Amino acid sequence: DVQLVESGGGSVQAGGSLRLSCAASGYASGAYCMGWFRQAPGKEREGVGNIALHGLTTYAASVQGRFTISRDNAKTTLYLEMNNLTPEDTAIYYCAAQPSRGGYCYSLVSQYYTYWGQGTQVTVS
């Protein structure tokens, strides 16, 4: 099975930046779409964005222009660069992976993704 471990969360003041990482292991052969999600207290989990194997990205409107998703060449680490953070970005952030043909991403809905990390807390004050 695929294991995903997030890191890089913490507390930051509004207007600041954070970079989250997601280390992946246990990949079987095949290609994966990878995504970032977040869940704030009392709210449903929402998609932040995703990235296909070859780098094509999709973002939620709420983070477009502020957040950037990338993945390394070996495709074993996923990143989320977050800039100009606001208190509304406070949440637990999760990475997720879904095997797909060609590594393309077909959805930013949480039910699409099979593998999940344990989450990392981001607090913006």
Side-chain angles (χ1 to χ4, degrees):
D1 278 351
V2 175
Q3 293 84 43
L4 303 172
V5 179
E6 302 95 336
S7 61
S11 297
V12 64
Q13 290 188 339
S17 299
L18 277 176
R19 188 192 197 203
L20 305 184
S21 299
C22 172
S25 61
Y27 275 139
S29 61
Y32 289 77
C33 162
M34 299 192 75
W36 284 101
F37 290 78
R38 65 186 181 185
Q39 187 165 17
K43 295 186 177 182
E44 293 186 355
R45 188 172 299 188
E46 64 171 351
V48 172
N50 58 29
I51 184 167
L53 177 66
H54 299 294
L56 182 65
T57 54
T58 300
Y59 297 97
S62 59
V63 306
Q64 182 77 47
R66 299 188 299 123
F67 289 13
T68 302
I69 296 174
S70 61
R71 57 198 294 176
D72 70 0
N73 290 337
K75 311 300 188 293
T76 60
T77 305
L78 177 71
Y79 302 101
L80 178 64
E81 184 77 34
M82 304 185 292
N83 298 311
N84 195 21
L85 286 160
T86 73
E88 288 69 37
D89 296 315
T90 295
I92 299 173
Y93 283 72
Y94 300 89
C95 67
Q98 174 62 31
S100 70
R101 174 173 291 190
Y104 288 98
C105 295
Y106 296 98
S107 177
L108 195 51
V109 174
S110 60
Q111 289 86 346
Y112 172 73
Y113 295 82
T114 299
Y115 303 103
W116 291 85
Q118 82 290 349
T120 185
Q121 176 71 46
V122 171
T123 302
V124 185
S125 59

